[in-house]
Amino acid sequence: MPVRWTKRLIADERYEAADVFDVNGDGIPDIVSGAFWYEGPDFKVRHSIGEVQAVGEYYDSFCAIPMDVDGDGRPDIITGSWWGPLRWRRNPGEAGAEWTERVIAECGNIEAVITADLDGDGMPEILPNTPGGPLVAYRLRRPYRPDSPPFEAFTLWSAAQGHGLGCGDITGDGRLDVVLTGGWLESPVDPLRGEWRFHPDFNFGAASVPILVADVNGDGLSDIIVGNGHGYGLDWWEQAMDGAGARSWRRHPIDPFCSQYHAMEWVDIDGDGAPELVTGSRYRAHCGNDPGEWDDIGSYYFKWNGESFSKQVIDHGEVRAATGLGIRFAVADLRGSGRLDIVAPGKDGLNIFYNEGL
């Protein structure tokens, strides 16, 4: 049986990214999206974070990653977008007070941002997907010093990244490798200072952010799940190894009929102990100029049945009737139910899909 969902509109805003974390320290998850944070558990009270620049149909806010940058015990925000630099917004600890902003890096156009603990120290690094620029990891310095840059930059790959970025252990050596749209980077023993080896094994085009690394079929080898962020298609690429240790990849379509699969998560939605693929349309990703942007939109989860993925509909239909999942969505237990809910931002509003179970 598929999971049942209750959809609720939180705000009629056009921000395309949302994150969930406890902003005010009351032990209850809050929603952060664009210029505002919404106080849990009912998300009816909205607090200002600060002005966010509008650029046509977009806003200069493609993420709100929580990180306590200054070590004061409060989660701050890491944000950035195609138009702005990578930035830190400091949590003032008081509703209504100003969230001061500081530039982390002028790293060029940011398509989206992921985090990964590359060096295994328990603190994730910040990895912006800058399609025309190099791959740079930003590590938080400790202890925090107000007169010093809060992050240290490490260039992992000096060539242009392309559209798409993911992280996971491809080789099975316990280190996190990096997946780009045109191949993957093998982690050295010292991930931040060593030389990464590039494997040009595939070309995904305008790939999703993130690109997922997961052992889909349970054969002990990590596979890759990737969506087309600006066209039709959603695939998984099966990793195989021959007797000589040569690696190869085989493409398996998951859903070739929907477009704008720009963001995705690999989480246990139905509570059976096995992860599912959660993804959906990014409504008007290129303002009506991509293949499929005028199609019906939706949000879905795909369950592995042992041979292939079965598509389960969370929401699907005409624009304004149905909702996609934007450029960055959040999955979290918002009600303490033990089930994972979905926070769905986009140019068509900020919604929650409450997970009502099977």
Side-chain angles (χ1 to χ4, degrees):
M1 294 291 293
V3 170
R4 296 173 292 114
W5 303 90
T6 298
K7 180 180 174 181
R8 179 184 158 203
L9 178 67
I10 298 300
D12 194 17
E13 301 284 357
R14 294 189 292 112
Y15 306 112
E16 294 189 82
D19 285 77
V20 172
F21 54 95
D22 181 8
V23 174
N24 56 0
D26 64 356
I28 299 171
D30 308 300
I31 295 173
V32 181
S33 182
F36 306 101
W37 67 275
Y38 302 83
E39 191 172 335
D42 59 12
F43 312 107
K44 293 179 179 178
V45 177
R46 184 176 77 172
H47 302 276
S48 175
I49 294 171
E51 183 179 352
V52 176
Q53 179 188 7
V55 186
E57 290 191 25
Y58 302 96
Y59 276 94
D60 181 17
S61 178
F62 281 3
C63 62
I65 297 168
M67 181 174 284
D68 182 7
V69 176
D70 57 2
D72 65 358
R74 295 189 292 265
D76 308 308
I77 291 172
I78 307 299
T79 189
S81 82
W82 193 257
W83 300 273
L86 188 66
R87 305 185 300 279
W88 159 39
R89 283 189 156 181
R90 182 179 180 275
N91 185 341
E94 180 182 350
E98 180 185 5
W99 292 60
T100 55
E101 187 172 274
R102 182 173 176 180
V103 172
I104 297 171
E106 298 280 358
C107 56
N109 302 119
I110 299 173
E111 182 66 28
V113 181
I114 68 170
T115 60
D117 184 7
L118 297 176
D119 57 1
D121 67 351
M123 176 67 70
E125 280 70 53
I126 305 295
L127 297 167
N129 179 212
T130 52
L135 176 64
V136 180
Y138 297 89
R139 184 177 68 176
L140 184 63
R141 297 178 187 266
R142 281 287 184 255
Y144 171 74
R145 294 184 176 89
D147 57 347
S148 301
F151 287 86
E152 186 176 5
F154 297 87
T155 299
L156 308 184
W157 179 246
S158 59
Q161 292 182 46
H163 188 303
L165 183 63
C167 232
D169 184 2
I170 296 286
T171 64
D173 63 2
R175 297 192 293 269
L176 293 179
D177 307 301
V178 172
V179 184
L180 307 176
T181 184
W184 62 282
L185 293 163
E186 185 174 349
S187 174
V189 174
D190 185 343
L192 297 182
R193 295 177 177 84
E195 183 176 352
W196 292 67
R197 180 185 174 192
F198 182 60
H199 300 267
D201 291 356
F202 37 70
N203 195 323
F204 297 142
S208 55
V209 189
I211 299 168
L212 299 178
V213 177
D215 182 3
V216 171
N217 55 2
D219 65 355
L221 298 175
S222 294
D223 309 302
I224 291 172
I225 305 172
V226 59
N228 187 337
H230 295 287
Y232 288 97
L234 176 65
D235 305 298
W236 74 280
W237 289 69
E238 181 182 3
Q239 182 181 176
M241 299 282 285
D242 66 16
R247 181 178 289 103
S248 63
W249 301 90
R250 180 184 176 190
R251 173 179 172 266
H252 301 271
I254 299 174
D255 183 6
F257 306 111
C258 290
S259 71
Q260 325 301 306
Y261 282 128
H262 206 292
M264 56 188 60
E265 296 289 340
W266 183 245
V267 292
D268 183 8
I269 282 293
D270 60 9
D272 68 350
E276 285 78 45
L277 170 63
V278 181
T279 186
S281 316
R282 179 188 172 193
Y283 170 55
R284 293 184 67 79
H286 277 166
C287 308
N289 297 307
D290 278 341
E293 281 209 52
W294 297 101
D295 295 350
D296 289 350
I297 64 172
S299 303
Y300 319 97
Y301 73 93
F302 296 81
K303 188 168 184 61
W304 178 252
N305 61 24
E307 296 181 353
S308 62
F309 281 97
S310 300
K311 184 176 184 178
Q312 309 295 326
V313 174
I314 299 170
D315 199 19
H316 179 86
E318 296 181 354
V319 173
R320 291 293 181 181
T323 297
L325 293 182
I327 198 170
R328 181 182 174 92
F329 65 94
V331 180
D333 182 358
L334 299 176
R335 301 178 294 183
S337 66
R339 299 183 295 269
L340 293 177
D341 310 300
I342 299 172
V343 179
K347 293 188 179 80
D348 52 350
L350 176 64
N351 289 269
I352 294 175
F353 292 109
Y354 285 112
N355 185 338
E356 306 295 357
L358 299 174

